[in-house]
Amino acid sequence: MDLESIPGVGEKTARALAELDDPERALRAGDVAAIAAAPGISQGRAARIARGAIRRDHDDPGGFLATDRAREIYREVLALLEERTVTDYAAQRLETIYPSPTRSRIEEVRAFAAEALEREPDPAVLEALEGLEPLREPGDVRVRERCLATTDAERYSAAREAIPELSVEVVEDAQGLAELARGYSTVIALDESFAGVTIEGDVQVRPDALENPAEVVPERPLAFFARNRDRLGAAVAVHRAADMDAACDLAALENGLSRLAEDGTVAGDDELDRLTTAVDDLDAAASAAESVANDRLREAIREQDVTIEGSDLLSLVERGAGVDSLLSRELADEYAAAVEAARDHLVDALDLDQGESEIARRAFGDEPTFPVERDEDAIGRLREELTAAKERRAGRLKRELAADLADQREGARQLVRDALELDVELAIARFARDFGCTMPEFVPADEARGTGFAIEGGRSPLLDEPLEAIDPVDYAVSGVALLSGVNSGGKTSTLDLVASVVVLAHMGLPVPAENVRLRRFDDLHYHAKTQGTLDAGAFESTVREFADLAQGGEGSLVLVDELESITEPGASAKIIAGILEALSENGATAVFVSHLAGEIREMAGFDVTVDGIEAVGLVDGELEVNRSPVKDHLARSTPELIVEKLADEARDEAVAANGGAPNDGDPEPVFYDRLLEKFD
């Protein structure tokens, strides 16, 4: 794979991506966590790289979101999806799903979303996901007590590359190998020429060691599992809670993890624990044993009534004898008992076996001394024996555990990936349930011309209202249309609904409606309402933008909210009419919200459709509105409704004042009627 062919990836980033174990898989799957593991690449950058790789693979030109408001709609619906994730990974993974005009990309995500909608957001699964994180690489692993040895310079270089965790030493002969054995617990000779040579210490002749590094350095696979114990445990919990098919044997993985300590050592082996404790406690146990002997000897001396004749004392002094001689002569039995107690204490405290006990007993000699002191040489030999036994035991257990877990590594990786992807699926499923979504239907390409969109029972997810409080909207447009309606009647919300549906549909995701049928658009141009009229420069820029848009193809969807605010009302109507004519000629789909719908229709050089969001009246001063636009209907304005309400109230008051009879000559109803005539 040519990594530099990905949009936004230069030479430096390509080198970083190349360091991943399988960059092609990570990019193809949009695995943000794996991509972010590359040196110097953040999560946000990883999401952008993944999007670039997807665009390249689907020959996606980009640019679907052609305006700032279109991009805002995308970020808003994406935020709603991300709010429903549990893991950071899922939120970043959703960043790789974007609106695309490319059929293959849309279909790819639609297939994923269809499976997601089958998921049930079980609270137990969501709780299990809370402990889930992407796997981490263990980093550098160094093993100090073991080394590789060879007489060959080329094999030395190969060994350093294949097994960087161990030191590699060059030796000339068996004597050099013996010297290494005195400094390392284990020496692994790579040369077959050393076979049959007897050397003191743990020296293994393994000519095939470089071909089986996990057997030589079991710490390598164990470090991976040790660093990811909690993550793997969480992934197992997710699979069990969701009743998912697992990529590996869950029971075997759990068993292996239960035998692995957080630092990568083997846990749960009684013999290894005994040896480890003995090595750690040796100095303390030896000191305690000395105290046992000296305490007993002091007590014996304190209770002993020793009588030494003058001639005997003189003889001892003349010979230069000291207290040791006195102990040997007068307290030999007591001293022997004290030393034996020290030996027993040392053996019992360290829980030594028979062979180790023989070495331990040499730590306290038979020759009387006071105070009793341990033989440091004997203690050193015992330490060496215990350490060597511990390392042998730990090495064997590590190799056995590494062998058990090695075959699970790829399955374990997939296990975590599947659990993380489940969070992405559940976010989509929760979004669909929360907003009453369904999968939209795209019309075939050969039927797309002249087709726009048709929404039934749509509810905008961008409204800050509970779903049940939102009135469903039906709206369909083919070609270009003007949307009229009263203030606060929901015209802008209708545009937001259309934009949200189109964006989500082109992301390949379910849309917030009961039914949606639409064509595949090339781009979305959504122009939000401007605040106040524009100055000459800004006005010119806006007109140029629409000039470029009018020259585009038929695949554009154009949504515009009250473009008349850019300049004077009379000029606005003329400009909008001209824009609609150009868009209609090019076969675009467009909805322009305007309070000048009547004027624009009169000025347009074609029969432009005018739809209306109709207010059915005023109730307690509040508009009562039919939120679904009525086709081919110019909606009445809010001022007209207010004047009509005032006229009705004036007539009722006049009738009441006239004793229940109409009073057509009352000046107030006549005034309101005259105003109403102006709206006709």
Side-chain angles (χ1 to χ4, degrees):
M1 173 184 283
D2 181 9
L3 297 175
E4 290 188 51
S5 68
I6 298 172
V9 173
E11 181 181 354
K12 181 178 178 181
T13 303
R15 284 199 304 270
L17 293 172
E19 295 188 25
L20 298 174
D21 287 341
D22 191 352
E24 186 171 351
R25 185 212 65 79
L27 291 166
R28 186 176 59 251
D31 190 341
V32 176
I35 298 171
I41 295 181
S42 65
Q43 290 275 357
R45 172 81 172 134
R48 292 193 295 273
I49 291 171
R51 285 197 299 270
I54 292 167
R55 283 179 50 199
R56 182 201 58 185
D57 291 346
H58 291 278
D59 197 22
D60 184 344
F64 180 87
L65 301 169
T67 61
D68 289 343
R69 182 55 184 155
R71 287 183 284 272
E72 287 175 3
I73 292 290
Y74 165 61
R75 297 308 308 182
E76 289 175 23
V77 296
L78 183 63
L80 292 172
L81 285 158
E82 291 175 347
E83 287 173 6
R84 286 156 178 80
T85 62
V86 178
T87 64
D88 291 340
Y89 167 86
Q92 292 291 342
R93 173 75 169 82
L94 284 169
E95 294 274 349
T96 69
I97 302 177
Y98 62 94
S100 169
T102 307
R103 181 177 181 274
S104 60
R105 173 56 180 170
I106 295 173
E107 291 301 323
E108 182 178 68
V109 181
R110 280 173 65 88
F112 177 77
E115 292 185 8
L117 295 180
E118 299 297 322
R119 297 288 188 186
E120 185 64 35
D122 189 320
V125 177
L126 298 178
E127 183 179 355
L129 283 167
E130 290 179 358
L132 187 64
E133 293 182 66
L135 296 176
R136 298 181 299 176
E137 291 303 317
D140 294 335
V141 177
R142 295 293 299 173
V143 180
R144 308 290 182 186
E145 71 276 2
R146 203 175 316 135
C147 76
L148 302 173
T150 180
T151 60
D152 184 79
E154 291 185 5
R155 193 174 291 113
Y156 168 84
S157 298
R160 291 195 62 179
E161 183 176 350
I163 308 180
E165 296 90 347
L166 300 185
S167 295
V168 184
E169 308 287 347
V170 175
V171 296
E172 295 183 359
D173 50 27
Q175 182 178 350
L177 205 61
E179 291 176 0
L180 285 178
R182 286 192 286 272
Y184 289 94
S185 297
T186 302
V187 177
I188 300 168
L190 303 177
D191 305 331
E192 195 169 0
S193 59
F194 286 118
V197 175
T198 302
I199 298 173
E200 185 177 350
D202 186 10
V203 177
Q204 304 173 15
V205 180
R206 297 282 303 275
D208 63 342
L210 303 187
E211 300 171 11
N212 303 286
E215 295 181 9
V216 178
V217 194
E219 291 85 355
R220 180 186 293 181
L222 293 184
F224 166 80
F225 285 98
R227 184 162 190 180
N228 293 295
R229 284 175 76 248
D230 293 342
R231 290 167 169 79
L232 292 168
V236 170
V238 169
H239 276 71
R240 289 219 164 101
D243 195 23
M244 295 170 62
D245 292 335
C248 63
D249 187 330
L250 297 183
L253 178 60
E254 283 185 310
N255 177 264
L257 293 175
S258 70
R259 294 153 55 197
L260 186 63
E262 291 184 4
D263 61 357
T265 58
V266 177
D269 182 76
D270 292 341
E271 176 62 9
L272 181 59
D273 291 344
R274 182 189 72 81
L275 291 168
T276 301
T277 301
V279 172
D280 293 342
D281 294 351
L282 177 56
D283 287 332
S287 296
E290 284 181 345
S291 298
V292 168
N294 287 316
D295 289 347
R296 291 192 59 156
L297 201 53
R298 286 191 186 92
E299 187 64 26
I301 293 172
R302 198 175 288 115
E303 295 178 358
Q304 185 72 35
D305 184 11
V306 179
T307 302
I308 302 178
E309 294 182 2
S311 59
D312 292 335
L313 178 59
L314 181 62
S315 175
L316 289 171
V317 171
E318 288 176 347
R319 293 203 306 268
V323 68
D324 295 348
S325 298
L326 291 174
L327 289 173
S328 177
R329 171 179 168 179
E330 301 293 337
L331 299 170
D333 292 341
E334 288 79 359
Y335 180 84
V339 167
E340 189 63 24
R343 292 166 177 167
D344 290 343
H345 179 86
L346 184 59
V347 170
D348 293 342
L350 299 179
D351 192 20
L352 302 178
D353 65 19
Q354 183 175 353
E356 297 157 355
S357 297
E358 292 178 2
I359 301 173
R361 289 183 174 279
R362 299 174 197 155
F364 297 97
D366 295 328
E367 290 297 322
T369 60
F370 188 81
V372 178
E373 295 180 348
R374 60 179 178 263
D375 184 334
E376 291 295 351
D377 289 340
I379 293 296
R381 287 192 296 275
L382 179 59
R383 180 179 288 104
E384 290 175 2
E385 177 67 22
L386 291 171
T387 301
K390 184 187 81 167
E391 295 299 337
R392 286 193 299 271
R393 181 82 178 179
R396 180 172 66 79
L397 292 173
K398 284 180 180 178
R399 288 190 293 274
E400 292 174 355
L401 182 55
D404 291 344
L405 288 174
D407 293 339
Q408 301 261 24
R409 183 162 182 164
E410 282 311 308
R413 288 184 184 277
Q414 190 61 48
L415 190 78
V416 174
R417 284 197 291 263
D418 290 345
L420 289 168
E421 284 297 300
L422 175 65
D423 191 18
V424 182
E425 294 180 29
L426 289 177
I428 294 172
R430 295 166 74 187
F431 175 84
R433 283 166 172 75
D434 290 347
F435 294 104
C437 295
T438 188
M439 291 302 293
E441 176 190 355
F442 283 94
V443 301
D446 57 357
E447 300 177 18
R449 184 169 180 80
T451 304
F453 62 84
I455 300 171
E456 296 178 12
R459 288 180 169 88
S460 173
L462 306 183
L463 292 174
D464 190 18
E465 296 285 345
L467 183 65
E468 59 274 10
I470 300 174
D471 294 330
V473 171
D474 298 338
Y475 193 36
V477 172
S478 295
V480 299
L482 286 164
L483 181 59
S484 61
V486 296
N487 290 332
S488 303
K491 299 186 297 298
T492 298
S493 296
T494 299
L495 287 190
D496 285 350
L497 170 63
V498 173
S500 300
V501 166
V502 170
V503 165
L504 285 163
H506 285 75
M507 291 171 74
L509 298 178
V511 298
E514 295 173 5
N515 186 51
V516 170
R517 193 170 189 268
L518 75 166
R519 65 166 296 161
R520 184 161 43 84
F521 293 106
D522 294 332
D523 43 44
L524 169 62
H525 299 258
Y526 187 176
H527 293 268
K529 186 188 307 183
T530 59
Q531 299 299 319
T533 58
L534 303 179
D535 60 31
F539 174 76
E540 179 181 342
S541 175
T542 301
V543 174
R544 285 182 180 274
E545 185 176 351
F546 278 101
D548 294 337
L549 178 58
Q551 294 172 7
E554 63 170 315
S556 296
L557 172 61
V558 185
L559 305 175
V560 183
D561 196 358
E562 295 189 21
L563 185 60
E564 61 262 28
S565 62
I566 67 173
T567 187
E568 296 85 356
S572 295
K574 297 173 184 177
I575 292 169
I576 294 171
I579 293 172
L580 291 175
E581 289 172 2
L583 292 174
S584 179
E585 290 171 2
N586 287 320
T589 303
V591 180
F592 278 56
V593 167
S594 179
H595 288 291
L596 305 176
E599 293 89 334
I600 296 168
R601 180 170 58 184
E602 291 177 2
M603 293 180 181
F606 72 108
D607 189 14
V608 60
T609 298
V610 178
D611 303 328
I613 296 179
E614 183 70 11
V616 296
L618 288 167
V619 179
D620 297 328
E622 297 291 334
L623 285 171
E624 187 174 346
V625 179
N626 177 9
R627 302 293 179 181
S628 295
V630 180
K631 297 301 294 180
D632 300 315
H633 174 74
L634 179 61
R636 292 186 297 170
S637 66
T638 304
E640 181 180 1
L641 288 170
I642 293 174
V643 172
E644 183 180 69
K645 173 178 177 289
L646 292 172
D648 290 340
E649 290 176 351
R651 287 193 197 94
D652 292 342
E653 290 173 1
V655 168
N658 199 31
N663 186 358
D664 296 334
D666 190 290
E668 191 172 13
V670 171
F671 172 76
Y672 292 131
D673 289 339
R674 182 177 298 169
L675 292 181
L676 283 174
E677 290 174 1
K678 301 298 182 182
F679 288 98
D680 293 337

